[in-house]
Structures are given as C-alpha cells and as structure tokens.
Amino acid sequence: MSTNSSPRISAATVTVETEPTSLTTGFAPFPADRAELYRAEGLWAGRPLDTLLSDAAEHWPDRPAVIDCHISHSFAELDALADRTAAALTDRGIRPGDRVLLQLPNSCAFAVTFFGLLRAGAVPVMCLPGHRHAELGHFAAVSGAVALIIPPQASTTGFDYREMAAGLQAEHPGLRQVLTPADLDAPADGSAAARGPVDPAAPALLLVSGGTTGLPKLIPRTHDDYHYNARACAQAYGMTGDDVYLVALPAGHNFPLGCPGLLGSMSVGAPTVFTDDPSPENTFALIDKHRVTVTGLVNALAKMWAQACDWEPVLPRTLRVVQVGGSRMLPEEARFIRQNLSEGMGQIFGMAEGMLNFTRPGDPVDVVEHTQGRPMSPHDELRVVDENGDEVAPGEEGELLVRGPYTLNGYYRADDANARSFTPDGFYRSGDRVRVFAEGPRAGYVEVTGRIKDVIHRGGETVSASDLEEHLLTHPAIGAAAAVALPDEYLGEKICAAVVFAGRTITLAELNEFLDGRGVSAHSRPDTLVPLPTLPKTAVGKVDKKQIVAGLTGGSAGTS
Ligand code: OOB
C-alpha cells in the first residue's frame, strides 16, 4: 500500500513545479480496511492497468484491438507497439511515476501512447483535445508533469498544438519535453522499459474532473480501481468478444475510456473503433462498416443522431447498446432517442471521480426512460443527504454522497477542494441532486434532478436552474435551453433563459405567459430571454454555462 506522504501541496498554491515530486505526494489512497475488503471480495485484481492489454494479447493475439480511419492493430501488435513506445519514453528520460500530459485525438495512436506510458510506469494525465492553454497549464502545475504529448498536426478546426506547447514550456520549466507519437515510434536503444514493480494501489492515471465551475481538478485512478471499473462495466453490459465499441466522444474522457469504452472492451477481447468526427454521416457509415454494437454518447449528440435517423441513408442498425449520459435528460428526450436511434438506448450517470450508475440491457422501458440507472457495484455506497448532511427519507431528494471500490478518496494535490468535497468518513460529495427510488419497479434506481449549486439567487428566492429548464423545454418553440444567473444591481442575480429556438421564435412576454400557465411562480420566471444559434459546449460536449454567462457579461469564459 502506498503511503500518503506529506506535505501535501494545495492546488491553489502551486503555480510552477520545478522540482520533481513523488507521485504519491498529495495522493489520498483508499483506506486500508476498505482496500482489504475489495481485495477479499475479488473486486480488485492487484494487477497493473496495462495487463488488460497483455492479457488480451495472450488470449486473442490476432483479433483486431484498435481501428481508426488510417490503420488497425491486433492485440498482439498493440501490445508490441506499447512496449516499443515504453522503451522510447524510457530512452527519453521518462521515469516510473512521472506524470505526462496526454492530449491526442481519437486514434490508434492514442491507444498506443496511453499503453506505452503505462508500460513505462508513467502516469498519463488525460487531457482532452478541446483543452487549451489555461487547462493544460493548470494540469502541468498541479501534476508536476515532465512532458506533454500532442498530435503532430493542427486540429481539424486549425488549432496549433505546437504553438500552445511552446507557450506552456516557457511558463512551466518542469515540462521538459513536448513529444508527438512519431517521436516515440522509432526503434529505441533500450530493448524494453524497465519500470520495476508496480504498486496496484498507486495512481495509474489522472483523469480531469467534468465540473463546470473553475478549472478542472485532477482525479487519481489507481490500477486496482480502474482495472475493476473497466471489467465490471463491460460485464454489466454483457459485452463479449463479439462486440465492437465505437469511441465517438474524446477518448481521454472516463466515459469512452473505461465505462466500458476502450479498456472494458479490451477486457473481453472486443475491438475499439476510433473516430474524430462524431457527425451522423460519418459515424453511421462507420457503425455499418465495422458492425459496431456498443457506444457512449453525451445527450446532445444522442439527440442529433436520433434526429438524423430521419434522413441518413445508412442507419446504425448493429447497435445493441447506446449509453447516453453526461448531463440531465428528461424522460421525453430519452423516449425520443430510444424510439428513433436505438431500442438499446440506456442511461448512464457517471463521473470521472468514480461511481457509475446505469440502466442495464433488458431493463423495463419505464426504468430506461425515467431513471439514470443503478450503481455498477454491489459495493458502491450511496447516501442522499439534506443541506445539514442528514440522510433524507427513502425516495426523497438530496445531495448524493458516494464511496466505493472505484471512487476517489481525494482530488490530486488539492487540499482545499478535498476539505470541502469529502466527509470525515470518506464519502465524496458529488454536488448532484438525486433521488433513489425506494419502491415500485424503479426501486434502487437513481434519478438526477439537478446540481446542488446550479441555482439562481434572485432577490430572496433560490431558483433551481434545472427545474426552470425542464419547463422551458416543454415549449414547442424551444429546442434547447439553459437557465443561468446574471448579475443584477437590485436582485443580486436575475434569471436568464438562453435558448435555441426550434423553427419559430417567441418573445419573453409570450414565454412568461406560457410559464404562468404551467404554474411557474413569478419569481422563478426568466427576466431576460437570449436566443442563441447553439448552446456552447465543454470539451466533452456538455452545455457550458460558464461560457454562456461570460458571453453575456463580457467576462472571460474562464477556461473552456
Ligand atoms: C461524466 O463524467 P464527468 O466527470 O464529465 O461529469 C460528471 C458529472 C456528474 O457529477 C453529473 O453532474 C453530471 O456530470 N452527469 C449527469 C449524468 N451523467 C453525468 N447528470 C445528469 N444525468 C446524467 N446521466 O459525465 C460521465 C462519466 C462516465 C460515464 C458517463 C458520464
């Protein structure tokens, strides 16, 4: 078991890391008693994460492992390429425990580099292609990363990663190297990377948090917990070597990486197809070509795919499981996606911090449409509490607190955030407002009703953004909506409805008359109505309220 060495470094105070620090500095491991339980129960395998690949290469050497529009590799080939990359990394001075920022587009090179880093004993920091200087600089400072791996070419939107990397290096001298996959492809001098023994209780990778306030935090995922996460998820979806998984979201995000994603698919010998273009035209053709059976989508993308089924010539008929999650979904939206895109539509409520809830293949339609699923593991512990931290009555709403075999015990090097985000007995405060149904066919399933902090303080009233959004979406002229708080001299905050009109437009007065008719109280109705061509999205494709507010107040969008 790794030790939690002190002193811990607070993210808020770290700006530039010049001295290399130990991986476990500022890492909160699982407490010994629970670790013991998860091992005894056989959940944790005690194996390094990259053994998912070596095991697959041993069992199914010739089966396709990864496929993109340029190339494909069998499990044996991917395994050999990972070794080669590890040797090249070692040759370049990357040492076990070193953090390395990984920012690559969806591609076979992503998989090769990810496993190469693990094999070298390095810890990838899973950046998304949409992250920019502010996020990367923050990840570099907090993690003390020694290298950054970027694509050799500009992004499809013309963004130049090399230029950003040069700027980052100037500010973070600890970031000694900027590499592309091509730099790691040449046969290395060393025959194999000598990483030494791996502590399965230590962090294998750092995921970034999906929160929409402030800069993302780093989430240490251990070999034990992430190996379990991937395997258990693939198993719960009934995946076998006959399945084919499609990565349509950014591959470094927890959802397509390990839920079940690339790693879960690998655990059962199923290939993963990568695409950089999530449009229906492109993905439907790929799904057809590779007989894709499983994929994961954020809500907006799922809705777009479902709409496109009306006109696309090739339909995604081979899909058996379409997981939809990442933000709140109304039952009507779920029904639309299920009926138009795939009967295999399921909901997933997950977080990079760990705990996953999802509906299972074969669950009743009522459960699939009205809930965000149930916990993945019998060892997930959920608590729903009120504002005083007291548990609410069964079936009532409150904040979800979680603890379990694959949920973090602390953000990486973030003492201040940790003091707020964890209870003394180790439960993570998710910030999500949920109810866990207590009876009937939905018993044990979770419904996400909003974010605890996503509220607008208007005058003396507290208005829930998600409640208002739900009402807004019932208006036939509104295709998408976000309720956000704007500063107001008299009220403190006023309510702004940012909407995407579907076909025709309406005025604020018409909207408020409609809301009045639905029984929405006067103080909970929008003060301003802002039509937008689309709602701005985060790097993974969720509605980015921070950016909406920044756009309307002339402030900086922060970072996304
Ligand atoms: C996934 O992970 P993150 O880390 O990008 O975001 C987590 C947060 C949750 O705390 C919750 O606020 C929200 O995103 N969320 C949902 C949701 N799924 C995630 N809110 C309502 N309904 C849902 N179904 O987003 C993620 C990770 C793994 C699998 C799927 C999604």
Side-chain angles (χ1 to χ4, degrees), residues 4 88 123 127 136 172 177 262 270 286 288 295 329 336 393 410 441 454 509-510 535:
N4 189 4
V123 175
C127 311
L136 279 264
H172 304 276
Q177 307 191 50
L262 167 69
L286 272 179
D288 193 56
T295 193
M329 187 152 72
F336 176 75
D454 196 5
E510 283 164 336
L535 298 180

Side-chain angles (χ1 to χ4, degrees), residues 208-211 219 253-256 259 298-299 323-329 347-357 372 428 430-432 448-451 540 542:
V208 309
S209 70
I219 296 161
H253 189 275
N254 185 35
F255 189 0
C259 307
V298 291
N299 300 4
Q323 311 163 275
V324 185
S327 53
R328 189 146 181 263
M329 187 152 72
Q347 297 206 47
I348 178 162
F349 160 42
M351 52 192 79
E353 286 82 356
M355 199 208 39
L356 303 173
N357 299 274
Q372 280 67 56
Y428 165 62
S430 72
D432 291 315
V448 187
T449 56
R451 292 278 304 162
V540 75
K542 304 187 194 189

